[in-house]
Amino acid sequence: MSNSPPPPIPRFTAVTLGVSDIRASIAFYEALGFTRKFRATGEAVAFFDTGASVIGLFPWDELAQDAALPEQPRPVAFRGITL
């Protein structure tokens, strides 16, 4: 019998989306019924609790800068989502 703990179960805890219109995106996720967290960020960034994970909305240009990608043109392989 092994004394090793079981391996961890992989789970997504955060999904980050790059959006071109932060206001419209916030309204969309609120209309879906997600609860917005950390409102102190204003419209610079938005986080929504999904129950098991968090959806983070960032302006596309800021997410691209953070990922060291050019703002334009948007690369096909990277559509503004990070896990």
Side-chain angles (χ1 to χ4, degrees), residues 29-61:
Y29 284 95
E30 287 177 333
L32 289 177
F34 290 112
T35 303
R36 186 167 175 205
K37 302 292 182 179
F38 310 114
R39 290 182 176 268
T41 60
E43 292 182 356
V45 62
F47 296 98
F48 292 90
D49 184 3
T50 68
S53 60
V54 173
I55 295 173
L57 303 178
F58 288 82
W60 163 255
D61 56 341

Side-chain angles (χ1 to χ4, degrees), residues 8-43:
I9 299 170
R11 299 172 197 231
F12 289 118
T13 57
V15 176
T16 304
L17 305 173
V19 299
S20 57
D21 185 335
I22 192 85
R23 283 183 178 181
S25 298
I26 290 170
F28 174 78
Y29 284 95
E30 287 177 333
L32 289 177
F34 290 112
T35 303
R36 186 167 175 205
K37 302 292 182 179
F38 310 114
R39 290 182 176 268
T41 60
E43 292 182 356

